[in-house]
């Protein structure tokens, strides 16, 4: 078994910034990594669906991997996406990134009609070939659902380290959270379900919102860890009210929230609000709605973003 570091807490899905010609904006990506690493996060989830991975070429993904691994330099656990439509590309990507300082690979099978038997073959083939621990990654929005029985079998593989499980079905999510044990980690997803996932036993929670607004998610995690459920619930409801603004913006057309999250990141001086060619950017009206939501959430526009317990969210965590 290849041992990987434990991941606990908020795990930002690192968004991919673009220059005007849609190349990777390397200085912006460096700023994003430094920003999230400055926070008390549990790790980073790189080249996931929220990172617009499906609209990135092989070479662009390699560039993202190089930049993030170099800037992070092992400070936080880093799980790197290696999911491609072609299996050969997943294998090649893992081979070409084997010398990078990453903790493991995550792969989602972008083939929603594969049988459970073929999914078992798929993950075992990747795990056998990977030089670093492999994480399964399942979401009802993007791929075939992995049955509980299949997860029980796959977690026995010595090079499968865990799963990111994104599912609105609380019963199934609770069963998967209960599968966590030394050597097999479970992380959950979706910012609006952060507290609910923690209650079900999740030790770590991923969200693309973590690249733009890690503070409210960290606040919920800290309140839960301290046992203050009343305040944790208030914080989650406050965050969900803000997320309802996102639901009425570019998410209607893009499904993913990258355009709106990148607009927030542009206000923080992290990157421009550009998205890849599948998607549209937010309109001026949508951006005004987002600014109103940010003020209600307790953040202010400008060079200093105030948050309870933090003199400056841009200046890094002070705890």
């Amino acid at each position: 078994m290849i041992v990987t570091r434990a991941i606990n807490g908020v795990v930002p899905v690192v968004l991919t910034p673009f220059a005007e010609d849609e190349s990777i904006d390397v200085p912006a990506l460096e700023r994003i990594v430094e920003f999230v690493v400055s926070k008390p996060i549990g790790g980073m989830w790189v080249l996931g669906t929220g990172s617009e991975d499906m609209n990135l070429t092989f070479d662009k993904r390699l560039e993202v991997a190089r930049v993030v691994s170099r800037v992070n330099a092992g400070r936080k656990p880093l799980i790197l996406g290696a999911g491609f439509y072609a299996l050969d590309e997943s294998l090649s990507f893992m081979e070409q990134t084997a010398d990078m300082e990453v903790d493991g690979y995550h792969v989602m099978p972008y083939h929603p009609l594969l049988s459970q038997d073929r999914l078992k073959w798929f993950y075992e083939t990747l795990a056998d070939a990977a030089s670093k621990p492999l994480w399964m990654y399942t979401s009802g929005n993007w791929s075939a659902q992995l049955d509980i029985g299949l997860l029980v079998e796959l977690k026995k593989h010595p090079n499968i380290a865990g799963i990111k499980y994104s599912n609105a079905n609380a019963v199934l999510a609770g069963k998967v959270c209960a599968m966590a044990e030394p050597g097999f980690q479970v992380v959950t997803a979706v910012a609006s379900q952060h507290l609910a996932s923690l209650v079900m036993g999740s030790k770590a929670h991923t969200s693309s919102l973590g690249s733009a607004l890690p503070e409210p998610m960290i606040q919920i995690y800290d309140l839960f860890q301290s046992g203050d459920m009343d305040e944790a619930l208030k914080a989650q409801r406050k965050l969900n009210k803000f997320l309802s603004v996102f639901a009425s913006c570019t998410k209607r057309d893009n499904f993913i929230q990258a355009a709106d999250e990148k607009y927030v990141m542009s206000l923080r001086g992290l990157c421009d609000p550009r998205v890849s060619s599948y998607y549209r950017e937010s309109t001026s009206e949508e951006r005004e709605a987002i600014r109103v939501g940010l003020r209600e959430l307790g953040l202010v526009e400008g060079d200093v973003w105030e948050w309870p317990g933090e003199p400056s969210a841009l200046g890094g965590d002070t705890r």
Side-chain angles (χ1 to χ4, degrees):
M1 178 181 291
I2 304 175
V3 178
T4 188
R5 287 186 283 180
I7 299 176
N8 297 294
V10 175
V11 181
V13 175
V14 177
L15 270 63
T16 307
F18 297 103
E20 192 170 357
D21 62 358
E22 212 171 306
S23 61
I24 304 299
D25 187 338
V26 172
L29 184 55
E30 292 172 340
R31 287 193 296 272
I32 293 167
V33 175
E34 286 291 357
F35 171 68
V36 296
V37 168
S38 75
K39 303 296 178 182
I41 60 171
M44 289 182 287
W45 196 265
V46 181
L47 292 174
T49 54
S51 313
E52 302 167 73
D53 68 326
M54 288 182 288
N55 208 24
L56 298 178
T57 64
F58 189 96
D59 288 343
K60 285 182 179 179
R61 294 197 210 188
L62 273 180
E63 185 173 16
V64 169
R66 291 190 189 103
V67 173
V68 177
S69 61
R70 169 176 57 79
V71 176
N72 180 51
R75 288 178 288 174
K76 301 289 185 179
L78 191 167
I79 310 300
L80 181 64
F84 292 82
Y85 282 101
L87 178 63
D88 284 350
E89 287 196 297
S90 289
L91 295 170
S92 179
F93 187 83
M94 292 191 295
E95 182 179 355
Q96 293 188 46
T97 56
D99 62 342
M100 296 183 190
E101 197 167 1
V102 303
D103 290 71
Y105 297 107
H106 67 77
V107 176
M108 180 187 290
Y110 290 121
H111 296 275
L113 299 181
L114 282 179
S115 69
Q116 297 296 299
D117 284 344
R118 294 313 296 165
L119 289 169
K120 183 174 185 289
W121 174 89
F122 173 81
Y123 274 117
E124 289 177 340
T125 298
L126 289 169
D128 288 343
S131 61
K132 303 177 190 295
L134 182 71
W135 284 66
M136 297 177 287
Y137 183 7
T138 184
S139 168
N141 295 317
W142 304 99
S143 67
Q145 192 68 46
L146 302 178
D147 291 346
I148 298 297
L150 176 59
L151 296 182
V152 170
E153 289 300 311
L154 287 173
K155 68 177 289 191
K156 298 174 184 177
H157 193 289
N159 200 32
I160 292 182
I163 183 171
K164 174 178 173 177
Y165 193 78
S166 178
N167 194 308
N169 187 316
V171 174
L172 290 177
K175 289 180 179 179
V176 175
C177 286
M179 296 173 66
E181 61 184 22
F184 187 81
Q185 302 178 61
V186 176
V187 300
T188 45
V190 185
S192 62
Q193 299 173 196
H194 185 20
L195 180 59
S197 297
L198 294 172
V199 170
M200 287 189 291
S202 174
K203 303 297 183 185
H205 196 79
T206 68
S207 174
S208 55
L209 186 71
S211 280
L213 291 170
E215 298 89 354
M217 297 191 67
I218 292 168
Q219 183 187 43
I220 293 166
Y221 179 79
D222 287 346
L223 287 167
F224 176 80
Q225 290 298 113
S226 70
D228 195 341
M229 281 296 298
D230 288 341
E231 289 302 314
L233 183 57
K234 288 179 184 178
Q236 181 69 74
R237 287 173 173 167
K238 188 174 184 180
L239 177 59
N240 286 359
K241 183 179 179 181
F242 173 74
L243 291 173
S244 69
V245 176
F246 275 6
S248 65
C249 294
T250 62
K251 186 177 177 68
R252 294 174 300 173
D253 292 323
N254 298 348
F255 183 73
I256 66 170
Q257 299 174 167
D260 302 323
E261 290 162 343
K262 286 180 181 178
Y263 175 63
V264 174
M265 294 166 76
S266 74
L267 295 175
R268 308 194 79 163
L270 296 172
C271 68
D272 290 328
R274 297 189 186 94
V275 286
S276 56
S277 55
Y278 275 151
Y279 309 116
R280 71 166 177 88
E281 296 183 8
S282 52
T283 64
S284 58
E285 292 81 6
E286 289 167 339
R287 291 177 179 184
E288 174 58 26
I290 291 170
R291 290 195 298 271
V292 170
L294 288 171
R295 286 192 289 269
E296 292 179 353
L297 189 60
L299 295 169
V300 296
E301 296 175 50
D303 292 333
V304 177
W305 286 52
E306 296 176 352
W307 191 261
E310 288 192 3
S312 168
L314 276 180
D317 185 70
T318 58
R319 287 176 286 174

